Amino acid sequence: MNHHLLLIIGLLLFCSSCSQEKSNEQRMLDDILQEGTYTIPEEAAENLDFSDFGELSELEQHLIDAGLVDIKSVLPEVYVDLKYSSEDNFFGQDVYGDLQNCYMQPEVAEMLAIAHKALKNAHPELTFLIYDAVRPLSVQQILWDNLDKPASVKPLYVADPKEGSLHNFGVAVDLTLAYQENSEALDMGTAYDYFGYPAYPDREQEMLKEGKITPKHIENRKILRAAMKAGGFSGIASEWWHFNAFSKKQAREKFEIIP
């Protein structure tokens, strides 16, 4: 066999190998596009370097160390918009920094999953949009110290850190309803953290008569309250968005304040 023939055979074999490799890569890409995930072979995973993915923030690691869970790990279909990780809150300051995930006690997350199931059964097009859950006592102190109100009225806006709040135990959640398809929040009549009677559940009929809120606002709030009640939560008189999983007495017996 002459050298030219050997060279041709070698090239054919090489191209065949390249074609097979390309085919394997194409199949991998097809799997990713169709399934949304790709399982990395164990022998390849051992050599991966995840350092470029970044480290958890100090606050997030603190919450994990305290035994709290990220609600998205339990309910991936809910939306999260932590208002205190932005300046879109009642006193215009970001106090959570890099924290974007929402944490709460595992038992509370399970209760919220039950509430979410009840919501989906009644209104499949809706989901929860969570604004806040656990609030470490250190952050509560920041809110208290930076609130530009007289000390006598501060407790109307923020719980006194000396007393603590159910947020500090990780057993309270602030949330609203949103459309599953686009995360657009339903109109509840007021913004989150609105301080005034239009936000008070126990003043809804009065505010309706005065034209401060509409029947649709009340209807939306009732949908939220019904779902949360199904999960074992209770609301409060002054904030349509706030729900407690336990009383303060129960929280003190079951959990520790998150410092």
Side-chain angles (χ1 to χ4, degrees):
M1 188 179 293
N2 61 41
H3 293 296
H4 290 94
L5 184 56
L6 288 173
L7 179 60
I8 292 171
I9 293 173
L11 287 172
L12 289 172
L13 291 172
F14 176 77
C15 290
S16 175
S17 175
C18 290
S19 175
Q20 183 64 36
E21 289 179 6
K22 182 177 181 181
S23 177
N24 289 338
E25 291 172 355
Q26 186 61 52
R27 284 199 296 271
M28 182 190 303
L29 179 59
D30 289 343
D31 288 344
I32 294 172
L33 292 175
Q34 291 176 13
E35 303 296 335
T37 59
Y38 177 72
T39 302
I40 301 171
E42 184 176 351
E43 62 274 14
E46 293 176 353
N47 297 319
L48 288 177
D49 180 5
F50 292 97
S51 59
D52 291 338
F53 287 87
E55 296 181 357
L56 294 174
S57 69
E58 184 177 347
L59 175 55
E60 187 156 9
Q61 189 62 60
H62 174 62
L63 300 178
I64 293 171
D65 291 343
L68 305 183
V69 296
D70 176 0
I71 188 57
K72 295 280 280 186
S73 69
V74 178
L75 279 172
E77 58 267 57
V78 302
Y79 292 106
V80 172
D81 178 18
L82 293 183
K83 292 300 186 181
Y84 293 114
S85 280
S86 72
E87 296 181 356
D88 183 20
N89 52 59
F90 75 96
F91 72 118
Q93 294 186 39
D94 179 349
V95 292
Y96 285 164
D98 293 336
L99 183 68
Q100 298 300 322
N101 298 316
C102 178
Y103 285 82
M104 58 188 69
Q105 295 289 351
E107 190 170 339
V108 178
E110 293 173 4
M111 293 170 63
L112 195 61
I114 296 172
H116 189 261
K117 182 177 181 180
L119 173 65
K120 282 295 188 181
N121 287 340
H123 300 275
E125 76 282 7
L126 299 178
T127 189
F128 292 139
L129 171 59
I130 304 176
Y131 292 136
D132 198 26
V134 68
R135 188 182 304 155
L137 194 62
S138 56
V139 173
Q140 191 79 23
Q141 189 68 54
I142 293 173
L143 297 181
W144 180 264
D145 292 342
N146 286 273
L147 181 61
D148 187 20
K149 298 286 183 183
S152 59
V153 300
K154 274 190 177 186
L156 297 176
Y157 299 87
V158 176
D160 189 336
K162 294 178 181 177
E163 301 294 329
S165 79
L166 289 173
H167 278 294
N168 304 146
F169 288 92
V171 300
V173 59
D174 295 342
L175 78 173
T176 188
L177 299 174
Y179 291 105
Q180 185 75 70
E181 64 177 2
N182 60 12
S183 76
E184 180 184 350
L186 273 62
D187 187 353
M188 296 292 190
T190 75
Y192 170 65
D193 264 0
Y194 177 89
F195 296 104
Y197 287 158
Y200 283 35
D202 69 348
R203 296 274 186 152
E204 285 173 352
Q205 294 305 314
E206 178 184 343
M207 293 297 99
L208 180 63
K209 290 179 181 178
E210 294 182 11
K212 300 292 180 63
I213 59 175
T214 69
K216 185 61 175 177
H217 297 146
I218 295 178
E219 179 185 342
N220 290 343
R221 294 181 188 187
K222 285 182 176 178
I223 294 172
L224 177 60
R225 289 198 288 262
M228 296 302 285
K229 182 179 180 180
F233 292 85
S234 58
I236 62 175
S238 58
E239 298 174 350
W240 59 257
W241 56 83
H242 180 103
F243 293 88
N244 297 323
F246 301 101
S247 68
K248 185 167 286 188
K249 180 177 182 296
Q250 291 172 321
R252 292 188 184 282
E253 292 172 351
K254 296 170 68 70
F255 308 106
E256 299 289 336
I257 282 184
I258 309 301

